Amino acid sequence: LIDKIDELIRTRAPEQKDMWTTKDIAAYTGMRHSTVRDVTTKLTGFPTPVRPHDTSYQIWIASEVKKWLRQQR
């Protein structure tokens, strides 16, 4: 059951998540994952990532990313 729940969480569309990985941002924007990871997240003004449990893993608050994207239009 836990494996199934984990699978459902990982496969949710980015629009349904509160927190986004670089893969989620790429899926939402249509950009390549490497572009999001290596360029977009490093642009001035891009939201600050959250680092869960003092790890190097980064996630972003989806609403902040969406707001930043709207401002770039």
Side-chain angles (χ1 to χ4, degrees), residues 10-71:
R10 283 185 283 114
T11 58
R12 288 173 60 190
E15 297 86 4
Q16 299 172 329
K17 296 180 179 180
D18 294 327
M19 304 298 288
W20 282 356
T21 64
T22 51
K23 289 181 181 180
D24 293 323
I25 297 167
Y28 182 79
T29 62
M31 289 190 274
R32 294 178 66 175
H33 175 250
S34 60
T35 301
V36 171
R37 181 192 64 222
D38 299 337
V39 179
T40 307
T41 60
K42 293 170 178 51
L43 292 173
T44 301
F46 195 81
T48 304
V50 176
R51 293 180 187 253
H53 308 292
D54 297 325
T55 66
S56 62
Y57 186 74
Q58 298 180 340
I59 54 176
W60 287 262
I61 298 171
S63 61
E64 291 180 4
V65 174
K66 289 178 185 179
K67 179 180 177 182
W68 183 86
L69 289 167
R70 282 191 303 273
Q71 293 171 344

Side-chain angles (χ1 to χ4, degrees), residues 2-13 17 24:
I2 292 173
D3 290 337
K4 185 62 176 173
I5 292 169
D6 187 48
E7 178 185 342
L8 289 171
I9 290 169
R10 283 185 283 114
T11 58
R12 288 173 60 190
K17 296 180 179 180
D24 293 323

